[in-house]
C-alpha cells in the first residue's frame, strides 16, 4: 500500500482542488480575525485569536465534501483508478490509501485555517490566554475525530459513485443538510421548559402580563425523542462541529464523541470497502 | 502452446443484459491477438474483466497460470499494461508527471526511463503542456506509454486506433510490432479497423453477442482467405489428374468443384481437360479478406 500512498500523496500535493479549499479556509480564518479586530477597535473590548481558532468547525463538512468529491472524482472522471487496479493493487488497499489521503487532506485544510488565524491573529489581537492550552488540546482532539468522520463518510460516497459532478453536488448538499439537521437538533435540545413570565405596555398605556407558560416544543427529560436527539447530536459529525465551535463539550461528552466518531469511521469505511470490492469499474 | 491468458466459459451480466456468454479464448505467449467484434459484442467488457475492473458473473480466466479467484492474480496483473476504452491519464498533469505518477503506483524506484518512454511514443517534446490540452491521438499515445511503464509482458489495448490520424495509426502499428518483436510483449488488441488489424495480428478471436465465434491464427486465416480460382467441371477426377500434372495446389470442394491456389492458364487447362474427356463448366476468381471472412462468420446484418 506504500506505493499507492506515495502516488496519492504526490497527487494531493499537486491537486488544485486541495489548494483551492485550503486557500478558502485560510481566507475564512483571516476574515474571522479581521472581524475580531474590527470588533475590538470599535467597542474597545478584549478579543483574542483563540476565540476564532475553532471557527472552522462549522464549515469543515462543506470543505471536506468539496475537496474529497473533487479529488477522488478525478480518479473516475480521468479513468486513472483503472491504472491502480490494472497494476494489481487490491481493491481494499486502493480504498484505504484513498481514505488515508483524504483524512490527511482534510486535516491539512484544518491546520491551514488555524495557521492563518494565528499568523494574523497574534499580531493583531495578541497572544491567547493561559487557559487556552487545555481547551485547545481537547478541541484539537475532537477536531481530529470529527475530520475522520467527515472524511470517512465522503470517501465512501466518492468511491462508490463514478460520476464526479453528481458526487460533488450530492456531497455538498449532504453536508449542508447535515449542518441544518444538527442546527435544528441543537435548537430543539436547547428549548426552554417554560416561557418566562413577562409584561409589556401597549401604546394606549395598558400593562399586559403573561404568566409562565409551558413550552410545547420542549423535549421532556428522559423522553425517547430527547434521547434520540441527544444521540444524533453527538453522533453526527456536523453536531460535533457545532459543539466544538461553541466550546460546550464536557470531558464526559468528549469521550463519547470520540467513540461515536470511531463508530462512524468503522461503519462507513467497512461499508465502503465492501461496496468497492463488488463495484464494476468502467 | 503456452498461453498467457485463457478464459473458460466466461460470463458477465449487467442486470438482465448478458454482455459475455460462455466465452472461451486463448491468447498464446508472444502473439498479437486481434479481438474482433461489432459494437456491443462484448470486447470492452472482456477487457474490463481480464484487467480486474469487473468481476465475472460466471466462468473463470487464468492470467499467467493464475486463476482469477486465486490470491496470485494480483501478482500476475503486475505483468499487464492496459489502455481500456479511453486513456487513463490525469488531465491536469503533464505527460512526464503522469508517467511519474504511474511509476509510483508500480513502485518503480527511478524515473530515469521516462524520457525514453516518452520518446518511444513520440511525446518527448510536450514539455509543460498539460494532458487536457493534448489531442486525442496524443492522449492515446500517453495512455500507451503509461501502459508500457514497468515493462509489461502483456499489453491490452482497447481500440488503440480511436482518434488517431492515418500517420498516428501507422506509428502505433509500428510501435506495437517493435514491442512484440524486440521485447516479446504479447499484445491483446481489440479493433474495428479490420484492415489495420490484419497488418498486425498473429492470432484472431471473433466475438459476437458476447460469445467467441472462432479463434484462428493468422496463418490459418491466410489459407482460408487466400486468392483462388474456383472451377466447376463435369469430372473431378480428370481435373485432379490435370492439376497434378500441371503442379498446381488445389482443394476439392465437391464432386464437381475445386479451388485452385495458383494463377490458372485457362486455355491450357481447358485443352488438358478436353483431352481427358472432361468439360470445364465455369471458372471464377475468388478472394476473401479479413472483412469478408468476419462478415461471413458473424453475419452481415445488424441484429
Amino acid at each position: 500500500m506504500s506505493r499507492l500512498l506515495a502516488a496519492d500523496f504526490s497527487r494531493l500535493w499537486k491537486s488544485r482542488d486541495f489548494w483551492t479549499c485550503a486557500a478558502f479556509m485560510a481566507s475564512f480564518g483571516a476574515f474571522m480575525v479581521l472581524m475580531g479586530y474590527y470588533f475590538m477597535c470599535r467597542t474597545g473590548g478584549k478579543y483574542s485569536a483563540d476565540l476564532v481558532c475553532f471557527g472552522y468547525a462549522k464549515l469543515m463538512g462543506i470543505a471536506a465534501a468539496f475537496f474529497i468529491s473533487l479529488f477522488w472524482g478525478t480518479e473516475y472522471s480521468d479513468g486513472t483508478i483503472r491504472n491502480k487496479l490494472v497494476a494489481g493493487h487490491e481493491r481494499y488497499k486502493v480504498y484505504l490509501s484513498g481514505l488515508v489521503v483524504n483524512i490527511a487532506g482534510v486535516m491539512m485544510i484544518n491546520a491551514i485555517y488555524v495557521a492563518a488565524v494565528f499568523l494574523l491573529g497574534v499580531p493583531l489581537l495578541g497572544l491567547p490566554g493561559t487557559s487556552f492550552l487545555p481547551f485547545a488540546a481537547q478541541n484539537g482532539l475532537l477536531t481530529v475525530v470529527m475530520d475522520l468522520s467527515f472524511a470517512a463518510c465522503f470517501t465512501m460516497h466518492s468511491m462508490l459513485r463514478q460520476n464526479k459532478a453528481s458526487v460533488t453536488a450530492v456531497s455538498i448538499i449532504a453536508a449542508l443538510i447535515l449542518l441544518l439537521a444538527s442546527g435544528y437538533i441543537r435548537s430543539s435540545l436547547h428549548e426552554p421548559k417554560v416561557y418566562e413570565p413577562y409584561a409589556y405596555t401597549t401604546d394606549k398605556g395598558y400593562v399586559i402580563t403573561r404568566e409562565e407558560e409551558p413550552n410545547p416544543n420542549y423535549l421532556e427529560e428522559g423522553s425517547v425523542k430527547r434521547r434520540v436527539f441527544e444521540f444524533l447530536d453527538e453522533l453526527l459529525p456536523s453536531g460535533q462541529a457545532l459543539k466544538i465551535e461553541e466550546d460546550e463539550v464536557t470531558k464526559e461528552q468528549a469521550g463519547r464523541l470520540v467513540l461515536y466518531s470511531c463508530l462512524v469511521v468503522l461503519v462507513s469505511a467497512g461499508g465502503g470497502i465492501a461496496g468497492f470490492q463488488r463495484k464494476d469499474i468502467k | 502452446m503456452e498461453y498467457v491468458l485463457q478464459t473458460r466459459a466466461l460470463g458477465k451480466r449487467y442486470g438482465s443484459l448478458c454482455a459475455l456468454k460462455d466465452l472461451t479464448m486463448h491468447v498464446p505467449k508472444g502473439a498479437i491477438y486481434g479481438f474482433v467484434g461489432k459494437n456491443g459484442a462484448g470486447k470492452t467488457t472482456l477487457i474490463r474483466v481480464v484487467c480486474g475492473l469487473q468481476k465475472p458473473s460466471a466462468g473463470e480466466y487464468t492470467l499467467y497460470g493464475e486463476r482469477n479467484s486465486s490470491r496470485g492474480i494480483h501478482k500476475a496483473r503486475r505483468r499487464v499494461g492496459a489502455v481500456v476504452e479511453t486513456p487513463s491519464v490525469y488531465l491536469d498533469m503533464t505527460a512526464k508527471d503522469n508517467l511519474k505518477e504511474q511509476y509510483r503506483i508500480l513502485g518503480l524506484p527511478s524515473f530515469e526511463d521516462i524520457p525514453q518512454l516518452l520518446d518511444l511514443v513520440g511525446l518527448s517534446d510536450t514539455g509543460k503542456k498539460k494532458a487536457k490540452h493534448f489531442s486525442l491521438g496524443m492522449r492515446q499515445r500517453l495512455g500507451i506509454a503509461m501502459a508500457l511503464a514497468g515493462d509489461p509482458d502483456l499489453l491490452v489495448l482497447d481500440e488503440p486506433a480511436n482518434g488517431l490520424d492515418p500517420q498516428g495509426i501507422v506509428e502505433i502499428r509500428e510501435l506495437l510490432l517493435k514491442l512484440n518483436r524486440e521485447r516479446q510483449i504479447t499484445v491483446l488488441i481489440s479493433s474495428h479497423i479490420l484492415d489495420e488489424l490484419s497488418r498486425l495480428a498473429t492470432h484472431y478471436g471473433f466475438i459476437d453477442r458476447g460469445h467467441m465465434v472462432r479463434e484462428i491464427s493468422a496463418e490459418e486465416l491466410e489459407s482460408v482467405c487466400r486468392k483462388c480460382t474456383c472451377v466447376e467441371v463435369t469430372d473431378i477426377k480428370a481435373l485432379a489428374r490435370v492439376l497434378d500434372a500441371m503442379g498446381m495446389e488445389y482443394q476439392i470442394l465437391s464432386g464437381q468443384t475445386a479451388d485452385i491456389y495458383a494463377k490458372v492458364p485457362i486455355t491450357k487447362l481447358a485443352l488438358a481437360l478436353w483431352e481427358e474427356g472432361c468439360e470445364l463448366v465455369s471458372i471464377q476468381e475468388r478472394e476473401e479478406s479479413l472483412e469478408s471472412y468476419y462478415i461471413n462468420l458473424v453475419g452481415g446484418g445488424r441484429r
Side-chain angles (χ1 to χ4, degrees), chain B residues 32-229:
Chain B
I32 298 180
Y33 191 101
F35 198 36
V36 185
K38 295 176 188 171
N39 282 336
K43 303 187 294 294
T44 301
T45 302
L46 177 86
I47 287 175
R48 284 178 185 152
V49 169
V50 166
C51 289
L53 303 177
Q54 301 190 352
K55 288 194 164 59
S57 314
E60 62 168 16
Y61 62 90
T62 56
L63 193 61
Y64 288 101
E66 294 287 350
R67 285 186 179 189
N68 61 302
S69 51
S70 76
R71 291 184 68 85
I73 191 72
H74 299 290
K75 206 170 175 183
R77 274 214 184 90
R78 288 179 202 163
R79 300 174 69 178
V80 180
V83 181
V84 186
E85 273 186 298
T86 52
S88 308
V89 298
Y90 292 108
L91 298 177
D92 247 357
M93 289 188 194
T94 64
K96 194 174 176 182
D97 284 343
N98 263 295
L99 282 170
K100 280 186 180 174
E101 196 64 14
Q102 184 68 4
Y103 271 48
R104 287 189 190 99
I105 288 169
L106 295 167
L108 301 177
S110 144
F111 301 136
E112 269 178 13
D113 303 340
I114 289 178
Q116 286 101 296
L117 205 47
L118 285 173
D119 199 36
L120 187 71
V121 295
L123 291 176
S124 52
D125 57 352
T126 50
K128 292 188 175 176
K129 193 174 180 179
K130 289 186 174 173
K132 64 182 168 193
H133 300 304
F134 283 11
S135 67
L136 194 54
M138 287 166 82
R139 281 186 208 169
Q140 196 69 267
R141 287 163 207 234
L142 180 56
I144 293 175
M146 304 265 282
L148 286 173
D151 287 327
D153 295 320
L154 171 64
L155 193 57
V156 180
L157 302 173
D158 188 12
E159 306 278 357
N162 271 359
L164 293 179
D165 54 25
Q167 177 70 22
I169 292 175
V170 172
E171 283 172 16
I172 293 293
R173 183 210 309 157
E174 284 172 0
L175 172 66
L176 294 178
L177 286 170
K178 189 175 162 186
L179 291 169
N180 179 251
R181 285 172 193 157
E182 293 178 7
R183 298 195 197 175
Q184 283 77 50
I185 294 178
T186 306
V187 183
L188 170 62
I189 180 172
S190 80
S191 183
H192 285 125
I193 309 173
L194 299 182
D195 180 50
E196 188 51 41
L197 206 55
S198 67
R199 294 165 200 253
L200 269 178
T202 59
H203 293 76
Y204 296 92
F206 296 94
I207 181 175
D208 186 41
R209 288 187 283 181
H211 188 75
M212 183 63 79
V213 181
R214 185 165 301 167
E215 286 186 290
I216 190 168
S217 73
E219 284 167 9
E220 288 171 306
L221 185 69
E222 198 183 329
S223 72
V224 172
C225 294
R226 67 202 278 199
K227 196 171 179 178
C228 67
T229 306

Side-chain angles (χ1 to χ4, degrees), chain A residues 237-264:
Chain A
S238 48
Q240 297 183 3
L242 295 177
K243 278 181 183 298
I244 292 169
E245 189 173 349
E246 289 164 22
D247 186 31
E248 58 173 38
V249 185
T250 61
K251 279 192 177 157
E252 186 188 291
Q253 265 186 331
R256 279 206 305 275
L257 294 191
V258 172
L259 189 73
Y260 287 151
S261 281
C262 293
L263 191 71
V264 170

Side-chain angles (χ1 to χ4, degrees), chain A residues 3-4 6-8 10-11 14 16 74-75 78-80 82-91 277-282, chain B residues 12 14 48 51-55 74 77-78 80 82 84 86-93 97 101-102 104-107 146:
Chain A
R3 289 179 275 159
L4 287 169
D8 287 341
S10 150
R11 195 166 80 76
K14 291 175 191 159
R16 204 175 50 181
T74 300
E75 290 284 339
D78 290 358
T80 42
R82 296 192 292 232
N83 294 340
K84 294 170 181 168
L85 297 173
V86 172
H89 290 291
E90 287 166 74
R91 288 191 178 213
Q277 290 278 14
R278 288 196 295 270
K279 189 161 185 57
D280 282 342
I281 310 285
K282 287 183 180 166
Chain B
K12 178 70 188 170
Y14 300 110
R48 284 178 185 152
C51 289
L53 303 177
Q54 301 190 352
K55 288 194 164 59
H74 299 290
R77 274 214 184 90
R78 288 179 202 163
V80 180
V84 186
T86 52
S88 308
V89 298
Y90 292 108
L91 298 177
D92 247 357
M93 289 188 194
D97 284 343
E101 196 64 14
Q102 184 68 4
R104 287 189 190 99
I105 288 169
L106 295 167
M146 304 265 282

Side-chain angles (χ1 to χ4, degrees), chain A residues 34-238:
Chain A
L34 291 173
M35 287 298 287
Y37 184 65
Y38 174 72
F39 166 81
M40 202 167 75
C41 293
R42 201 163 163 200
T43 63
K46 191 156 169 51
Y47 209 85
S48 63
D50 52 297
L51 291 175
V52 290
C53 179
F54 295 101
Y56 57 77
K58 197 158 39 186
L59 283 182
M60 273 321 291
I62 297 164
F66 179 83
F67 157 65
I68 292 172
S69 55
L70 287 179
F71 184 70
W72 269 95
T74 300
E75 290 284 339
Y76 283 117
S77 67
D78 290 358
T80 42
I81 198 159
R82 296 192 292 232
N83 294 340
K84 294 170 181 168
L85 297 173
V86 172
H89 290 291
E90 287 166 74
R91 288 191 178 213
Y92 78 93
K93 289 182 181 173
V94 172
Y95 189 100
L96 285 178
S97 170
L99 179 61
V100 168
V101 174
N102 287 343
I103 288 169
V106 172
M107 284 184 181
M108 279 192 269
I109 289 168
N110 243 330
I112 285 167
Y113 171 93
V114 176
V117 164
F118 279 96
L119 281 173
L120 195 64
V122 170
L124 288 179
L125 307 172
L127 282 166
T130 48
S131 61
F132 175 65
L133 274 182
F135 155 71
Q138 179 178 293
N139 276 5
L141 172 71
L142 292 175
T143 295
V144 169
V145 293
M146 176 195 74
D147 285 350
L148 288 173
S149 305
F150 273 131
C153 293
F154 293 124
T155 299
M156 178 179 76
H157 184 223
S158 302
M159 284 287 204
L160 296 183
R161 295 183 63 162
Q162 299 193 36
N163 186 314
K164 185 178 175 178
S166 85
V167 164
T168 308
V170 171
S171 293
I172 292 172
I173 291 168
L176 282 168
I177 290 173
L178 275 177
L179 196 62
L180 290 173
S182 289
Y184 171 73
I185 287 170
R186 287 176 68 71
S187 69
S188 297
L189 289 173
H190 284 99
E191 284 283 351
K193 192 169 186 175
V194 290
Y195 291 126
E196 294 294 319
Y198 63 94
Y200 66 95
T201 309
T202 63
D203 295 343
K204 291 178 180 173
Y206 296 113
V207 176
I208 295 174
T209 56
R210 287 272 183 263
E211 297 300 313
E212 183 180 274
E213 278 181 34
N215 177 1
N217 296 322
Y218 175 71
L219 300 174
E220 290 296 335
E221 289 293 337
S223 67
V224 175
K225 192 173 179 184
R226 187 174 191 90
R227 275 188 287 179
V228 169
F229 272 35
E230 281 172 347
F231 172 70
L232 288 174
D233 187 40
E234 293 179 354
L235 176 77
L236 296 177
S238 48

